[in-house]
Amino acid sequence: MIQLQSISKYFEEVTAVDHISFEIEKGDIYGLLGPNGAGKTTAIRMMMGILEPDEGEIIWNGHSINREDRVNFGYLPEERGLYQKQKLKETLQYLGRLRGMSRKELNSEIDKWLERFDFTDSADRKIEELSKGNQQKVQFILALLHQPEFIILDEPFTGLDPINQVLLKDIIQEQRDEGVTFIFSTHQMEQVERLCTNICLINKGRILIEGPLSKVKEKYRKHAVTVKYEGDLNTGDLEHFIPEFQLENGELTGVLKTPTTDFLDWLNKQVEIISFAHSTPTLEQIFIQEVCSAA
Amino acid sequence: MNRILNIMKWEFMVRFRSKMFLISLFMPLIFMVFSIIPAMLMDKGGDSEVKVGIVNHAEHIASKFKNNIGNKYQFDDGKPKYWIFDYENFDEAKTALQEKTIDAIMVIPAGIMDTSKSKYFARSLSNFKVIDELRNTLSHTVILQRMENQGVAVEMAESISKRVKMDTFEVNKEGKLTEGNELMVLLGPFFFVFLLVMAIFINGQLLLRSVIEERTNRMVEILLSTVSARELMTGKILGLGSLGMVQILFYLSIGVIFGMVKGIEIVRFDELPILFIYFLTGYFFFASIYATLGTLFDNEQDAQQSMTIVSIIAMVPLMGSFYFMANPTALVTKILSFVPPMTPFMMILRISSDAAEPWEIAATVVLMIVSVWGMMTLAGKIFRTALLMYGKRATLPEIWRWIRA
């Protein structure tokens, strides 16, 4: 559906995005991950047409993407803000019209979403009178008001209470079931594990990991370990085997970067091993492991 | 096109409904009233009576002066304007003046017939009209007395010393005569340039604020994912431009009503189309500068300095308007008419004073259209790049690079 073909973006001497390629299928929720300053926002801005790539091409449904295609895109930017002095409903109407919605279609969609988010009584209130969390919901509505085929959500959950997080998640899944494609960018790994089928982890403008979440986890399964032990562990040497580890109540978890046997030989000399198991790593562990070893 | 129209409508409605707009609509009016009313008051002279104390050392003159001023200046109801009180000496009169029993003191020295010198004292010398009337009457009285002393009969003296009155008329292209005074004739062109300057300042400021606002609230990210930077800029400029038109029409109708009441023609309707062309091109020229400034600064305070420079350029023709109107064919007037930022102001001044050649009008209109096109292209290039830059102030070499890109 959308395909990034080796796109790059340079700002003066900085390479923000360095030959990134991936493809997203229709109806997918694609997780775009990476530490701060990895180049996620720049990549998103290029997909949204806010910035032009310096190299490479973005393909939409088989052709080079153009502005008309992007009218069917929805976007929730990470940096948020709205017209504070304007009324909720009028702001929605303005952006809906800008995206070419007819008056009738626009009004019925607005009513639908206002009701869904319990905003019906606030329709004529000024944005500045809404709480921060509510303003964020308004921006979420803005991203999908015009029934886009492709929606980019940059940190949609931050600042929302658990009830609203669930509401958002439900809506994202409903939309996905109707065939809407999502790019979901966040630092909250548990949300990615819950929602995404495919992920792409980038750092310093380059792709570190890309592919289906299940396969990524499978690949790391052999490396992720959980060890219960007794005795004192020399943590300085431990970093040689597991760069980023967690130690809690005599339980060690982390992702190995050396063969398992080497690690066990070393460990056996240090402490008494009570149990040892390969575990499925969390995405958070994979993220930390990859970003740290790339650094 | 549809998108530009939507942006335009939004920008228009948002500002039109704001309290700021109402304030900005009436502010220039208040400013205008305050700058013109005193001039008009001065011209009319106070309608209240004036009490004048006379310290007289020249026997005949004072009584004749009293007669003359009493005859000459009366209110419509026949009551005299000037009330004359005699004082023995100056100190006594001065005390009365300080205690506000009288408004002015005239000292008529004994040798006035030879020296032609007298003195006037008042708490304030701002009422020119009163001073003028008193001086003229005294002068007239002295002249009459001199003639009488030379043996000229009173009637003859009166008719000899009668001053010549000059009524002023303005002749327009069609040869129609309009009676008026000089102040009012100058008012028309000044009024137009004032309107344009106001429209540019107010809407330029709004435009700048609107760009900065969308940059700080990051709406610009959502907007740019739907419209191009050029569409956004054009929509904004047109939206605030139509707001400016509303303002201008509002002021224009006030001007016309004011003119009708005063019986003068402030607006010549046959000149309106060409004046509107200068209005529009002038507005677009400055609007593209303001829109670009909005992208270069993160808040209004930072933008203030560069805005002041732009404003001063626009202010020059307004500040010098009386010189340019008085010397519409002077070289400096002609040269400034061909300097694009000033062209619209200068040409409006000159056209309203009937001092522009047809070829000059044609040439400056072409010049303005070309400059607006150039300015918009330039602004568009900077706008596109600078719009998403945060925190970092663009340097001149960077701006130059964007323009060439």
Side-chain angles (χ1 to χ4, degrees):
Chain A
M1 182 165 201
I2 189 166
Q3 205 180 349
L4 274 64
Q5 293 183 341
S6 193
I7 58 164
S8 299
K9 184 78 194 174
Y10 310 102
F11 296 117
E12 309 288 316
E13 266 87 70
V14 183
T15 306
V17 170
D18 191 0
H19 297 92
I20 280 186
S21 305
F22 57 76
E23 189 176 354
I24 305 172
E25 295 298 330
K26 189 173 160 66
D28 198 357
I29 300 180
Y30 191 89
L32 186 60
L33 320 174
N36 298 323
K40 298 182 303 265
T41 303
T42 305
I44 288 173
R45 281 181 174 172
M46 285 192 279
M47 283 186 262
M48 288 311 300
I50 298 168
L51 294 174
E52 287 297 318
D54 292 326
E55 281 168 33
E57 202 179 5
I58 300 173
I59 305 293
W60 173 257
N61 288 335
H63 63 267
S64 189
I65 195 162
N66 60 48
R67 186 160 289 284
E68 294 317 309
D69 297 327
R70 287 178 172 126
V71 172
N72 280 321
F73 287 14
Y75 181 33
L76 173 72
E78 183 187 7
E79 301 268 12
R80 310 238 167 85
L82 290 159
Y83 298 109
Q84 294 295 321
K85 301 276 176 209
Q86 304 311 316
K87 290 174 184 167
L88 166 53
K89 193 169 179 177
E90 286 174 353
T91 305
L92 294 175
Q93 282 170 332
Y94 171 46
L95 282 135
R97 275 200 299 272
L98 217 49
R99 283 150 168 171
M101 295 176 80
S102 70
R103 190 173 295 268
K104 201 178 141 203
E105 180 190 21
L106 185 57
N107 283 332
S108 79
E109 281 298 305
I110 288 177
D111 290 344
K112 181 179 105 187
W113 288 112
L114 288 185
E115 203 186 316
R116 184 85 192 257
F117 279 98
D118 207 15
F119 274 146
T120 312
D121 295 335
S122 313
D124 288 321
R125 285 173 69 186
K126 284 186 181 171
I127 301 277
E128 63 185 354
E129 293 167 23
L130 303 176
S131 74
K132 227 180 154 198
N134 278 339
Q135 290 195 23
Q136 194 171 331
K137 289 194 275 178
V138 174
Q139 284 173 311
F140 184 73
I141 299 178
L142 274 182
L144 37 82
L145 181 67
H146 55 301
Q147 298 168 310
E149 296 171 66
F150 178 61
I151 301 175
I152 297 179
L153 303 173
D154 202 348
E155 291 290 0
F157 294 107
T158 40
L160 287 183
D161 63 48
I163 297 169
N164 280 309
Q165 289 198 14
V166 170
L167 177 61
L168 236 67
K169 197 179 78 140
D170 288 349
I171 292 172
I172 293 172
Q173 281 168 337
E174 274 168 34
Q175 295 278 316
R176 193 254 329 263
D177 294 342
E178 285 170 24
V180 177
T181 311
F182 284 91
I183 281 193
F184 176 38
S185 176
T186 184
H187 292 129
Q188 294 176 303
M189 294 302 144
E190 59 291 11
Q191 299 285 7
V192 177
E193 296 206 49
R194 228 172 286 166
L195 281 168
C196 299
T197 35
N198 290 285
I199 63 152
C200 174
L201 172 63
I202 60 174
N203 188 31
K204 295 180 178 168
R206 289 186 180 182
I207 293 185
L208 295 178
I209 309 171
E210 207 271 319
L213 183 59
S214 54
K215 281 202 176 147
V216 170
K217 288 196 138 190
E218 180 59 34
K219 186 184 153 208
Y220 281 85
R221 212 182 73 80
K222 282 175 270 169
H223 303 294
V225 290
T226 305
V227 186
K228 278 189 180 162
Y229 65 90
E230 265 174 15
D232 288 329
L233 198 57
N234 180 345
T235 50
D237 285 348
L238 181 57
E239 277 178 18
H240 172 67
F241 300 97
I242 307 175
E244 297 295 321
F245 52 82
Q246 279 148 351
L247 271 176
E248 224 172 286
N249 302 325
E251 189 176 287
L252 165 72
T253 52
V255 180
L256 276 177
K257 70 172 198 180
T258 59
T260 313
T261 46
D262 292 357
F263 172 63
L264 278 177
D265 285 348
W266 173 79
L267 192 65
N268 232 340
K269 287 173 201 153
Q270 303 271 324
V271 294
E272 190 185 332
I273 300 170
I274 296 169
S275 71
F276 174 87
H278 278 299
S279 57
T280 306
T282 61
L283 197 53
E284 191 173 305
Q285 285 174 319
I286 298 174
F287 183 101
I288 293 170
Q289 154 85 10
E290 281 301 320
V291 172
C292 288
S293 56
Chain B
M1 198 59 221
N2 205 7
R3 289 181 206 136
I4 294 179
L5 216 65
N6 272 317
I7 298 171
M8 185 178 152
K9 260 198 273 181
W10 172 260
E11 292 290 332
F12 179 87
M13 280 318 290
V14 163
R15 313 292 150 187
F16 185 72
R17 288 182 312 192
S18 70
K19 283 185 207 85
M20 263 310 288
F21 176 70
L22 270 183
I23 295 169
S24 71
L25 197 61
F26 286 101
M27 270 306 280
L29 215 60
I30 293 166
F31 184 73
M32 190 108 176
V33 163
F34 276 107
S35 58
I36 282 175
I37 296 276
M40 287 172 58
L41 279 182
M42 225 152 65
D43 183 51
K44 259 198 138 186
D47 277 314
S48 55
E49 42 179 53
V50 182
K51 299 191 189 95
V52 183
I54 288 189
V55 182
N56 184 32
H57 303 292
E59 202 51 55
H60 309 294
I61 301 297
S63 56
K64 287 192 173 161
F65 170 79
K66 265 187 253 181
N67 269 339
N68 285 341
I69 201 132
N71 290 336
K72 207 165 170 191
Y73 301 105
Q74 290 170 347
F75 293 122
D76 294 342
D77 57 5
K79 282 186 186 152
K81 179 175 176 185
Y82 291 97
W83 294 78
I84 308 292
F85 300 89
D86 291 311
Y87 286 89
E88 287 299 317
N89 58 59
F90 179 70
D91 290 335
E92 212 179 303
K94 198 175 146 208
T95 315
L97 181 67
Q98 282 167 325
E99 285 167 356
K100 298 189 180 174
T101 4
I102 53 173
D103 304 305
I105 305 170
M106 281 174 75
V107 176
I108 304 174
I112 189 166
M113 295 296 290
D114 304 319
T115 60
S116 293
K117 278 182 178 166
S118 65
K119 283 176 182 163
Y120 175 86
F121 302 84
R123 285 187 298 274
S124 146
L125 295 178
S126 61
N127 200 333
F128 294 117
K129 187 102 179 173
V130 167
I131 298 174
D132 234 32
E133 286 173 357
L134 290 173
R135 181 181 29 230
N136 286 342
T137 311
L138 182 61
S139 175
H140 189 64
T141 311
V142 169
I143 291 169
L144 280 181
Q145 188 57 48
R146 282 182 189 145
M147 292 193 195
E148 241 183 286
N149 292 353
Q150 295 292 323
V152 181
V154 179
E155 291 84 25
M156 189 184 255
E158 284 276 11
S159 80
I160 291 173
S161 67
K162 192 152 195 158
R163 292 180 125 210
V164 175
K165 206 180 138 209
M166 189 188 274
D167 290 332
T168 51
F169 297 89
E170 197 183 66
V171 184
N172 72 6
K173 270 187 236 138
E174 289 77 37
K176 198 178 143 201
L177 303 184
T178 335
E179 195 172 349
N181 63 39
E182 285 166 56
L183 186 73
M184 286 304 167
V185 171
L186 291 175
L187 204 61
F190 182 79
F191 173 74
F192 271 111
V193 173
F194 186 81
L195 273 191
L196 179 57
V197 170
M198 277 303 154
I200 286 173
F201 282 180
I202 293 169
N203 293 293
Q205 191 109 11
L206 285 175
L207 187 61
L208 178 117
R209 193 174 298 160
S210 149
V211 173
I212 289 181
E213 190 200 346
E214 272 174 9
R215 264 159 50 79
T216 34
N217 72 15
R218 312 289 170 136
M219 278 309 283
V220 70
E221 301 224 2
I222 294 179
L223 292 170
L224 283 187
S225 64
T226 312
V227 302
S228 71
R230 181 170 282 269
E231 285 172 323
L232 184 62
M233 187 179 92
T234 314
K236 277 177 174 301
I237 291 179
L238 289 178
L240 288 166
S242 14
L243 195 68
M245 277 296 148
V246 171
Q247 287 167 321
I248 286 173
L249 286 177
F250 173 76
Y251 294 138
L252 209 55
S253 19
I254 289 182
V256 169
I257 293 167
F258 175 79
M260 281 188 329
V261 171
K262 297 290 294 180
I264 43 164
E265 213 179 14
I266 280 198
V267 184
R268 272 188 233 135
F269 288 94
D270 57 325
E271 282 175 359
L272 273 186
I274 188 77
L275 292 182
F276 268 112
I277 291 177
Y278 287 115
F279 266 133
L280 283 177
T281 51
Y283 168 75
F284 284 134
F285 188 88
F286 280 93
S288 42
I289 296 178
Y290 278 108
T292 313
L293 284 182
T295 63
L296 294 179
F297 298 94
D298 286 341
N299 58 62
E300 238 173 293
Q301 285 77 20
D302 290 350
Q304 209 64 51
Q305 215 175 2
S306 12
M307 267 163 57
T308 313
I309 298 171
V310 179
S311 312
I312 286 173
I313 298 173
M315 281 300 256
V316 168
L318 186 67
M319 289 186 297
S321 55
F322 286 92
Y323 172 81
F324 298 130
M325 280 187 285
N327 306 283
T329 48
L331 191 63
V332 59
T333 315
K334 286 194 167 180
I335 289 173
L336 288 183
S337 305
F338 284 89
V339 179
M342 299 189 201
T343 301
F345 308 101
M346 298 303 293
M347 289 309 287
I348 288 170
L349 282 180
R350 294 178 63 195
I351 290 176
S352 318
S353 351
D354 261 338
E357 302 287 332
W359 75 264
E360 284 180 306
I361 296 178
T364 49
V365 165
V366 172
L367 174 73
M368 275 321 284
I369 291 171
V370 173
S371 336
V372 165
W373 178 82
M375 206 60 219
M376 294 273 266
T377 313
L378 213 69
K381 285 184 172 178
I382 301 173
F383 194 85
R384 191 181 58 199
T385 318
L387 205 51
L388 287 168
M389 277 184 54
Y390 295 107
K392 179 168 160 276
R393 180 87 53 87
T395 61
L396 280 177
E398 274 176 329
I399 295 174
W400 176 238
R401 213 165 34 244
W402 302 335
I403 292 172
R404 286 188 310 169

